[in-house]
Amino acid sequence: MVVTIKDIAEKVGVSVTTISRVLNNRGYLSDNLKKKVQEAMEELNYQPNEVARSLSRKKSNVFGLIIPDISHPFFGQITKHIEYYAYKNGYKLMLCNSLLNKKKEKEYIELLRASQVDGIIMGSHTMKVEEYMAIKLPLVTLDRRISDTIPYVSSDNYRGGALATKLLLRKRCKKIAYLSGSLQLNLLAKQRHDAFMDQVRGQQIEYVVRQTDLNGFKYREYEPMVRELFQEHPDIDGVFASSDLLALQIIRESRRLGKLIPEELKVVGYDGIQIGGAEDLTTIEQPMQEMGKLAVSRLLQQIGGEETPLETVLPVKLLERGTT
Amino acid sequence: MVVTIKDIAEKVGVSVTTISRVLNNRGYLSDNLKKKVQEAMEELNYQPNEVARSLSRKKSNVFGLIIPDISHPFFGQITKHIEYYAYKNGYKLMLCNSLLNKKKEKEYIELLRASQVDGIIMGSHTMKVEEYMAIKLPLVTLDRRISDTIPYVSSDNYRGGALATKLLLRKRCKKIAYLSGSLQLNLLAKQRHDAFMDQVRGQQIEYVVRQTDLNGFKYREYEPMVRELFQEHPDIDGVFASSDLLALQIIRESRRLGKLIPEELKVVGYDGIQIGGAEDLTTIEQPMQEMGKLAVSRLLQQIGGEETPLETVLPVKLLERGTT
C-alpha cells in the first residue's frame, strides 16, 4: 500500500492542507504539530524519506558564501548573481570575506555551521582538503576543484587561456607576456597558464611568464610587478593578463611609458568585469551570471538529496575590443 | 537598596556565574533557566532594563545589510569594511541587494525581521518614511537621512562637491558640467549638487547640469547621457561627475572624440573607488573604511541600548591626480 499525505492527515487528525504546509515548512507551524506529523510519517513509513529528513533537520534557509574579497569586481559581480538566485529560491545569503586568511576562513566555516546554514558556496580556500571534507554540509566551490566529491562550478579556463593567446599570435605579436596571480594557489585558473604554454611552445615567439607573489587582491599591488616587467622587457608587444584588474594596470603603465595601445602593445584581460568596458579592454568573459545561478542550483540539488554532478564547466567568450 | 546579580542568584538558587552567563547569553542556557532569571530580575526590579530586554529577545548575532547592488564598486568596497567590523564584533552579515526594487526591499526587511537579525544597515531606500519607522529594529542608514530618529553615517557631501567644483574653477575651466544619478532620490549625495551650484553661481562661468533618469547602477547606461552631453556642448572643458564610474565613462567618451585630458578637458570623479587609480582619475575620496566601521559601531550602540547620535558625517579628501 502506498501511503499518501491523506493517510498522515487522518492519523494526526488535521487537514491535508496542514500536512502539506508542514511538508513544505510554510506558514506558522508549532513544534508539537511538526513532531506529530513526523511521528505519523515514521509509523506509516511514508516516502520519500528526503522530506522526513528535512523535517527533522532545522532549516534556516540561509546559504553561506565565502569569498576572498567582495570588493574585487569579479567577486562583486558573481555575488550579485548568487544573491539573486538564492533569493529567488527562498534563501538568504550570509557574506563572508576570508581575505585569504586561513584562520578567518576556518572561523567562518565554524560560525556558518553553528548558524545552521543549509549550505556553503566556497570561492576561497586556504585550508587542507580534509578540513573541507569534514564540513559535512552541502558545499559547492567556485573555480576550484578541492576533491573528487565536492561539486564545483567554473568556466572553461583552459579554453579561455587558449583563446587569449591565439588572438595575440594572430595579431602577430613577437614577444608575449603572461601575467597572473600566484600559480601556487590550487585554482582552476591555473589552466589559463597551461593553455598559454601549450600555444606558445614550439612557435617562433618569445614569451615571459610572471606571477605576483601576493594573494592579495589589491589593485595597487600589481604596480611594481608591471613596472619591473617593462623595464626588463621593453620589447614586449603583447600581454595576456589573467585578470582584467591586472590588464588595467598594464594599460596604465604603458600610458605612462608612452606606449601606444594597440599599435605598440596589445593587451588581453580576463573575467569580463563591467569596468573593463571603460578602457575598451579586450578580454575573456566569464559567464558570471550563469556561474552564480549554477552554484546556487548545485547547492539546492544537494540540499534536496538529488545527485549533483561533480563538474560544471561553462563556456567563455572572447570579447575583442580596442586594446588588441 | 541596589539589587545585584548576587540577589538574583540567591533567588533563583544558582551561582552568580550562571546568572552572569545568562546576562551575557554565553554557553548553553535552558529556556527554563532564562525564564526563571528573568522573572527574578523583574520581581526584584533589577536594573539595567537593557539587559532584561536583551534577555527576552533572542539574539542572532546577525546584521542585515541592504544595498542597491553589491557589484557597484562603491558598495563592494564599503561592504568589505562593514563585514570586517561586524565579524570583529562577533556578528555575521546577511547581504541583501535591493536592486532599488521596492518590492524586493520590503520583502528583505520582512525576511530579516523573521530571521531575527539584531539590526539592519540600510544603503538603499525606496519605501515611505513610515515604513522604515515601523521596522522597530536597530537601524542605521548609509548616506541617507530618512527621518529625525534613524541614525545615519555619511561623508561630507557638501564639502566634497565644493572641493571638486573649486578645483575646476582654479584650473580655469570656462564651461563646467555637473553629472549625477537621479537628483530625485532623497540621498545626501544631492548636497554635492547644491555645493556645485553655490560655487558656480555668480561666477564668470558657464555650466550644465545633467542627471540620469536611471536608478540603475549599470555602467553602460551612462553612455548615451555622456555622448549627448558632448554633442550638445562640445565646448565643455571641465566635468564634475558625482561618481567615479560616471567619470570613467566621460574619459572613455572623450578618448573616442580625441579630446585630450587634462589639456582640453578636466575631469573630477567622486567616491575614490580603487579602480579609479587605473585612469589616474582625480576624485573626491569618501572614507569608506571609516564609514563601514562607524555604521557597525552605531548599530552596536543601539543594540547595547546606548545613546546613538543621529548624524555621523565624516570628512572627504580631494585626490588630485592626472585628469585635472
Side-chain angles (χ1 to χ4, degrees):
Chain A
M1 189 193 88
V2 176
V3 180
T4 67
I5 63 169
K6 204 167 155 238
D7 302 312
I8 301 167
E10 271 169 24
K11 178 135 191 104
V12 179
V14 296
S15 71
V16 168
T17 317
T18 300
I19 299 294
S20 161
R21 281 207 303 121
V22 173
L23 293 179
N24 293 296
N25 203 12
R26 210 168 45 223
Y28 174 74
L29 302 159
S30 76
D31 286 345
N32 186 32
L33 174 67
K34 287 196 239 175
K35 196 172 151 240
K36 273 192 191 158
V37 171
Q38 198 172 356
E39 279 166 4
M41 278 167 34
E42 275 163 26
E43 230 170 282
L44 299 172
N45 193 22
Y46 175 77
Q47 300 293 340
N49 283 321
E50 251 332 295
V51 179
R53 258 209 294 281
S54 80
L55 248 187
S56 63
R57 197 166 51 81
K58 215 162 119 192
K59 273 197 74 182
S60 62
N61 288 312
V62 174
F63 289 157
L65 172 67
I66 306 182
I67 52 172
D69 179 354
I70 188 66
S71 75
H72 188 289
F74 174 73
F75 287 107
Q77 282 181 235
I78 204 163
T79 298
K80 175 185 182 171
H81 300 302
I82 289 173
E83 190 261 7
Y84 178 82
Y85 289 104
Y87 179 79
K88 243 183 116 169
N89 286 284
Y91 285 82
K92 288 162 306 236
L93 198 65
M94 201 87 92
L95 173 70
C96 313
N97 293 323
S98 73
L99 306 175
L100 295 175
N101 174 326
K102 213 173 197 151
K103 186 166 159 275
K104 198 176 176 198
E105 188 175 317
K106 205 163 176 168
E107 279 176 11
Y108 252 137
I109 289 171
E110 284 315 309
L111 269 174
L112 291 175
R113 201 204 302 274
S115 324
Q116 297 184 288
V117 298
D118 295 327
I120 298 177
I121 298 175
M122 291 279 316
S124 167
H125 81 285
T126 56
M127 310 185 308
K128 292 195 197 110
V129 175
E130 306 82 59
E131 296 179 287
Y132 292 100
M133 302 295 284
I135 290 179
K136 302 251 183 273
L137 266 177
L139 182 66
V140 169
T141 61
L142 280 176
D143 218 27
R144 55 209 78 216
R145 180 184 173 129
I146 291 179
S147 81
D148 289 345
T149 55
I150 300 173
Y152 68 87
V153 173
S154 77
S155 64
D156 191 342
N157 287 284
Y158 188 88
R159 182 161 166 74
L163 282 171
T165 316
K166 278 179 181 166
L167 176 69
L168 293 174
L169 294 173
R170 205 161 64 234
K171 297 280 179 178
R172 304 185 189 286
C173 290
K174 301 268 172 282
K175 184 167 182 176
I176 305 184
Y178 173 79
L179 302 186
S180 74
S182 172
L183 296 174
Q184 306 309 318
L185 286 175
N186 193 22
L187 303 179
L188 292 168
K190 196 181 167 303
Q191 296 174 358
R192 300 172 200 168
H193 169 259
D194 300 342
F196 173 82
M197 292 306 293
D198 289 349
Q199 291 297 324
V200 294
R201 255 191 228 115
Q203 299 271 354
Q204 293 289 0
I205 195 163
E206 278 188 86
Y207 62 87
V208 185
V209 172
R210 280 294 164 88
Q211 50 167 311
T212 55
D213 293 329
L214 306 156
N215 288 344
F217 279 85
K218 283 210 188 117
Y219 185 79
R220 281 288 178 178
E221 291 168 0
Y222 295 142
E223 199 173 317
M225 173 174 76
V226 168
R227 192 153 290 189
E228 203 183 286
L229 176 77
F230 282 115
Q231 271 160 9
E232 288 179 31
H233 304 277
D235 53 338
I236 284 172
D237 60 357
V239 174
F240 169 24
S242 78
S243 79
D244 287 342
L245 284 190
L246 204 39
L248 292 176
Q249 190 63 50
I250 297 283
I251 292 172
R252 187 183 183 201
E253 180 64 10
S254 51
R255 199 169 284 149
R256 210 186 58 89
L257 296 170
K259 260 188 206 292
L260 285 178
I261 293 177
E263 294 79 0
E264 297 168 308
L265 180 70
K266 295 181 181 26
V267 182
V268 187
Y270 208 101
D271 287 340
I273 59 174
Q274 276 174 20
I275 205 88
E279 291 285 2
D280 214 18
L281 177 66
T282 294
T283 192
I284 305 297
E285 188 184 45
Q286 298 202 63
M288 289 176 258
Q289 182 167 356
E290 273 301 294
M291 287 170 79
K293 183 177 178 176
L294 280 160
V296 169
S297 121
R298 293 292 177 257
L299 208 49
L300 290 172
Q301 285 175 333
Q302 287 181 63
I303 290 169
E306 291 170 52
E307 211 165 308
T308 312
L310 174 65
E311 300 189 340
T312 304
V313 180
L314 298 165
V316 294
K317 209 165 83 188
L318 169 65
L319 296 185
E320 245 188 288
R321 294 192 288 210
T323 57
T324 48
Chain B
M1 187 192 88
V2 177
V3 180
T4 67
I5 63 171
K6 204 166 154 240
D7 302 312
I8 302 167
E10 270 169 25
K11 178 135 191 106
V12 179
V14 296
S15 71
V16 168
T17 317
T18 301
I19 299 294
S20 162
R21 282 208 301 121
V22 173
L23 293 179
N24 293 295
N25 203 13
R26 209 166 49 221
Y28 174 74
L29 302 159
S30 76
D31 286 345
N32 186 32
L33 174 67
K34 286 197 241 176
K35 197 172 151 241
K36 273 193 192 157
V37 171
Q38 198 171 356
E39 279 167 3
M41 277 166 34
E42 277 163 24
E43 229 170 284
L44 297 173
N45 193 23
Y46 176 76
Q47 301 292 340
N49 282 322
E50 253 330 297
V51 178
R53 261 207 293 282
S54 81
L55 247 188
S56 61
R57 198 165 51 80
K58 216 162 119 191
K59 272 199 75 178
S60 62
N61 287 314
V62 175
F63 289 156
L65 172 67
I66 306 183
I67 52 172
D69 179 354
I70 189 67
S71 75
H72 188 288
F74 174 73
F75 286 107
Q77 282 182 236
I78 204 163
T79 297
K80 176 186 181 169
H81 300 301
I82 288 173
E83 189 261 7
Y84 178 81
Y85 289 104
Y87 178 80
K88 244 184 115 170
N89 286 284
Y91 285 82
K92 290 163 305 239
L93 197 66
M94 201 86 94
L95 173 70
C96 314
N97 293 323
S98 72
L99 305 175
L100 295 176
N101 174 325
K102 213 173 196 148
K103 186 166 158 276
K104 199 177 175 198
E105 188 176 316
K106 204 162 177 167
E107 279 176 12
Y108 252 137
I109 289 171
E110 283 315 310
L111 270 173
L112 290 175
R113 201 204 302 274
S115 324
Q116 298 184 286
V117 297
D118 295 327
I120 299 178
I121 298 175
M122 292 279 316
S124 167
H125 80 286
T126 57
M127 310 185 309
K128 291 194 197 112
V129 175
E130 306 82 59
E131 296 179 286
Y132 292 99
M133 302 294 284
I135 291 178
K136 302 251 183 272
L137 265 177
L139 182 66
V140 170
T141 61
L142 280 176
D143 218 25
R144 56 209 77 217
R145 180 185 174 126
I146 291 179
S147 80
D148 288 345
T149 54
I150 301 173
Y152 68 87
V153 173
S154 77
S155 64
D156 191 342
N157 286 284
Y158 188 87
R159 182 162 167 74
L163 283 171
T165 316
K166 278 180 182 165
L167 176 68
L168 293 175
L169 294 173
R170 205 161 62 233
K171 296 280 178 179
R172 302 185 191 285
C173 291
K174 302 267 172 282
K175 184 167 183 176
I176 305 184
Y178 174 78
L179 302 185
S180 73
S182 173
L183 296 174
Q184 306 309 317
L185 287 174
N186 194 21
L187 302 179
L188 293 169
K190 196 180 168 303
Q191 296 173 358
R192 300 172 199 167
H193 169 258
D194 301 341
F196 173 82
M197 292 305 294
D198 289 348
Q199 291 297 325
V200 293
R201 255 191 228 115
Q203 298 272 353
Q204 292 290 1
I205 195 164
E206 279 188 85
Y207 62 87
V208 186
V209 172
R210 279 294 163 89
Q211 50 166 313
T212 55
D213 293 330
L214 306 156
N215 288 344
F217 280 86
K218 284 209 188 117
Y219 186 78
R220 281 289 179 180
E221 291 168 0
Y222 295 142
E223 198 172 319
M225 173 174 75
V226 167
R227 191 152 293 189
E228 205 183 285
L229 175 76
F230 282 114
Q231 271 161 8
E232 288 179 31
H233 303 278
D235 53 339
I236 283 173
D237 60 357
V239 174
F240 169 24
S242 77
S243 79
D244 288 342
L245 285 189
L246 203 40
L248 292 176
Q249 190 64 49
I250 297 281
I251 293 173
R252 186 181 185 202
E253 180 65 10
S254 51
R255 201 170 283 149
R256 209 185 58 88
L257 297 170
K259 259 187 206 293
L260 285 178
I261 293 177
E263 294 79 358
E264 297 168 307
L265 180 71
K266 296 181 179 24
V267 182
V268 187
Y270 209 101
D271 287 341
I273 58 174
Q274 276 174 20
I275 205 89
E279 290 285 0
D280 214 19
L281 177 65
T282 294
T283 192
I284 306 297
E285 187 184 45
Q286 299 201 62
M288 289 177 259
Q289 181 167 355
E290 273 301 294
M291 288 169 78
K293 184 178 178 175
L294 279 161
V296 169
S297 121
R298 293 291 176 256
L299 209 48
L300 290 172
Q301 285 175 331
Q302 288 181 64
I303 291 168
E306 290 170 53
E307 210 165 308
T308 313
L310 173 66
E311 300 189 341
T312 304
V313 180
L314 298 165
V316 294
K317 209 164 82 187
L318 169 66
L319 296 184
E320 244 189 289
R321 294 193 287 211
T323 58
T324 48

